[in-house]
Structures are given as C-alpha cells and as structure tokens.
Amino acid sequence: MGNGTLTINLAALAENWSALDRHSAASVETGAVVKANGYGLGSARAAKTLAQAGARRFFVATAEEGAAVRGALGSGPEICVFGGHMRGDTEMIHDLQLVPMLNSIAQITRHAESLPGHPCGIQLDSGMNRLGLEAAEWSAIAEIALQLSPQLIMSHLACADEPDHPANAAQLAQFKSMTDGLSIPRSLSATGGILLGPEFHFDLTRPGIGLYGGLPFVDAKRVVGLSLPVIQIRDVAAGESVGYGYSWPAKAPSRIATLSGGYADGILRAISAGAQLYDGDIPCPLAGRVSMDLLTVDVTHLPEAPDSLDLLCDHQTMDALADCAGTIGYEILTSLGPRYTRRFVETP
Ligand SMILES: *Cc1c(COP(=O)(O)O)cnc(C)c1O
C-alpha cells in the first residue's frame, strides 16, 4: 500500500466527549464541533460516534459542511452553523434543517425575511471581534431578534487556552451583561472554556479539539495515529547528502529510509528540524527536508529494516509535532490530507 494510514480511534473520541461532558454539571448540555470535516478525521464517522456517545447538538462552520453531517446523522440531532445564514444558503438551511447562528443585523434580516419561523441562534461578540453582534448593535436590535425565538445565544472566547489571561474574565462579564435576564439557552465555551470552570459553562458547551485528543484538554485520550510506509532503504556514505538543498550531509555511514508522505499530506515542511518517526518505541530522526510526497529518515540504528514508521503515536502527539513546526495541534489535524487511508477503529 503506497499511502500512509491514519488510524482513528472512535472509542477514544467517544470517551473524550464523555470526559468533557463530565466536566460540566448534568444540567449543562455538551455539544460537539465537527467542522472542517471533523477536524480532518471525517465528519460523518465522527458525528455518528459522538451521537452514540450522547451528543445531540453539532456545530459546523458552513452550511455545506452541515449537509455532510446531516447525511450521516439523519433527522433529529440539531446541526448549527457558525457562519450563520449566508446569501445563497437559504434552501440548504431549510431542506437540511440546519440552525444558522446569525451573526450580524444583515443575517438576522435575511433569516427573518427568507425563512420566518425556521430555527436559528444568535452570535454575540464579547471581545474577540471575529463574529457576532457587538453590544451596541445587540441592544439596538435585541427586541426584534428575540422575536425569532432563537434556540441559543452564543459567544466565543479568544484566550481560553490561557487560563490566567484577563480576557477570559472580561469576555465572561461582557457576555453576561449582554444576556443576563433573557430566558434563552446560552453558550460561551469551547474546549478551553470548559476547563476554565463552571461559571463559563452556561447551558451548553461546544468542545472541538479536546474530542479529537488535542490540547488544552491534557487528559484527552489519543484519537489519531499516523503510520507511513517505507518505500526504499539505502546506504549513504559519510559526506553524501540527503534530500532537497543537500541539507542533511551524512556525518557517518548511514541508512536512510524513504517514506510515503509529505507536505502535500499535511506533514508540514516546517517539521524538518526536530520531528522524529518511531519504529515502535525507537525514535528515528528526519534526515533532510520534507518534500511533497516523501520523507527521508535516519534508520541507521534500527536492528531491522522497518516496513513502516509512525509519525503520530503515543511517543509523538499532534501537539508535540505541532511544536516542531511552531504551530498548534489544530493545524496538524486539519491539514491531514485526503491521500491517507483512514482506518476507523471502534474498540478501546
Ligand atoms: C472551532 C470552534 C469551537 C470549538 O473549539 P475548540 O477549541 O476546538 O474546542 C467552538 N466554538 C466556535 C465558535 C468555534 O469556532
């Protein structure tokens, strides 16, 4: 098999949802964010697994993404669209029973005019300045917006992965001042906010990355493994070089394995300095630059020629790999390319 294998542990995904669910009181609903094709892992399988675990409300970024999730889940579970009610989406929102999280006066108007009576939510800006109505807009339009009977009022934290950041308390206070006294379910927290404590939970939480095994949910079970097949192994003499730019001159006689997988598969070129591949427990450093479809790895010290090596495993999590590239686990996950064989495992 020429492509790498992404192993996705659905049992771990379900366990992570349950663990995050237990972080909030029983009265708090725990949703599930499956945007970006379930953070790159496959939104259909992820959503079905999370529905079995108990999730009843799913979140996607766009209506198009909602279509895939609705296809997998059938009717019943709510599917909310963070991008709201975009021009051209009316029919899809109606036919697939999606719930747009309206984020501007223009969207509120569009929704009220094109789909009166269709469920919706409202997004407020509590300080991030990304999506949602600002305080002044909200106080001007709240009375009219509330006539749409929104199912949910939500906002989003910008710094929840930094518990001591003053923006957390400031956004919390702002969200409360914009929503206290309304009898509509409220939601403020994604994974990071869930871990900040009960005052951030309100009626519904919206975990994403923690479900898939990423920080800031330090207790997450690993969901993703990535194994890359070895295509060829060669001996390299001292003084010879490996890969583009001749950036890895062999200091001693070496054995170099060439693996299937490269930056076209989301193995960021920036990991070239520092990432390892693993033969079981034995680390093998990258030798030279990541290229589009191939990696070259120093396997001189391995007792036997490996058939494949692991890039994501217990020894190297997505967050560790992200550190090598100066990025975050989210980007590693959502970059995982379409060439991999996605193997879903259902048992713990
Ligand atoms: C992506 C996103 C989430 C999920 O965030 P995680 O950090 O992955 O848990 C929740 N809410 C909104 C508005 C988002 O954009």
Side-chain angles (χ1 to χ4, degrees), residues 292-308:
M292 188 185 296
D293 319 295
L294 299 167
L295 301 179
T296 37
V297 180
D298 184 358
V299 296
T300 313
H301 54 301
L302 293 185
E304 281 176 47
D307 291 329
S308 65

Side-chain angles (χ1 to χ4, degrees), residues 33 35 39 82 123 130 154 156 190-192 206-210 330:
V33 179
K35 63 190 179 186
Y39 287 50
F82 287 138
Q123 249 177 117
R130 191 177 68 167
M154 61 167 275
H156 193 53
T191 304
R206 312 183 305 270
I209 193 72
Y330 296 76

Side-chain angles (χ1 to χ4, degrees), residues 5-323:
T5 302
L6 206 52
T7 301
I8 297 153
N9 186 329
L10 296 174
L13 177 68
E15 278 184 49
N16 288 337
W17 185 85
S18 300
L20 286 167
D21 184 42
R22 286 193 299 272
H23 268 78
S24 56
S27 58
V28 177
E29 182 183 349
T30 301
V33 179
V34 293
K35 63 190 179 186
N37 192 28
Y39 287 50
L41 303 183
S43 64
R45 291 301 293 268
K48 272 193 199 170
T49 301
L50 293 163
Q52 273 163 17
R56 288 290 166 270
R57 188 179 289 272
F58 295 81
F59 292 88
V60 292
T62 64
E64 289 86 342
E65 288 184 344
V69 176
R70 179 60 78 208
L73 292 178
S75 58
E78 301 284 3
I79 300 172
C80 301
V81 181
F82 287 138
H85 191 144
M86 295 286 283
R87 200 187 303 282
D89 283 354
T90 300
E91 200 174 301
M92 207 168 5
I93 289 169
H94 173 265
D95 293 352
L96 297 168
Q97 294 294 297
L98 305 177
V99 182
M101 297 286 117
L102 308 174
N103 51 52
S104 64
I105 292 176
Q107 285 205 354
I108 289 171
T109 309
R110 179 179 301 135
H111 189 75
E113 287 175 355
S114 61
L115 288 180
H118 184 94
C120 66
I122 304 276
Q123 249 177 117
L124 303 178
D125 176 47
S126 55
M128 188 177 186
N129 282 303
R130 191 177 68 167
L131 283 180
L133 298 155
E134 300 202 3
E137 291 178 300
W138 178 235
S139 51
I141 203 182
E143 207 174 315
I144 297 164
L146 292 173
Q147 287 169 14
L148 300 177
S149 306
Q151 293 185 344
L152 189 67
I153 297 192
M154 61 167 275
S155 188
H156 193 53
L157 297 169
C159 306
D161 57 340
E162 297 175 59
D164 298 328
H165 199 294
N168 294 321
Q171 287 197 263
L172 176 63
Q174 176 70 354
F175 185 56
K176 286 174 94 159
S177 85
M178 291 168 88
T179 58
D180 272 352
L182 302 174
S183 52
I184 297 166
R186 294 186 283 183
S187 177
L188 180 61
S189 287
T191 304
I194 293 172
L195 304 173
L196 292 178
E199 70 272 31
F200 287 86
H201 296 166
F202 295 92
D203 301 295
L204 174 111
T205 59
R206 312 183 305 270
I209 193 72
L211 304 175
Y212 305 97
L215 291 177
F217 185 29
V218 285
D219 297 326
K221 291 249 160 42
R222 182 170 63 86
V223 173
V224 190
L226 177 57
S227 176
L228 304 174
V230 173
I231 303 174
Q232 195 182 39
I233 297 185
R234 72 180 63 248
D235 292 314
V236 173
E240 291 189 299
S241 287
V242 176
Y244 281 120
Y246 270 24
S247 68
W248 195 86
K251 295 189 188 96
S254 303
R255 302 209 83 199
I256 298 296
T258 302
L259 275 56
S260 174
Y263 60 76
D265 303 293
I267 302 173
L268 306 178
R269 205 166 157 280
I271 68 162
S272 299
Q276 312 271 345
L277 284 99
Y278 283 84
D279 180 29
D281 297 329
I282 309 174
C284 306
L286 275 171
R289 290 184 194 158
V290 173
S291 48
M292 188 185 296
D293 319 295
L294 299 167
L295 301 179
T296 37
V297 180
D298 184 358
V299 296
T300 313
H301 54 301
L302 293 185
E304 281 176 47
D307 291 329
S308 65
L309 294 173
D310 297 332
L311 186 64
L312 293 173
C313 56
D314 287 337
H315 297 298
Q316 186 166 257
T317 62
M318 61 165 121
D319 291 294
L321 193 62
D323 278 346

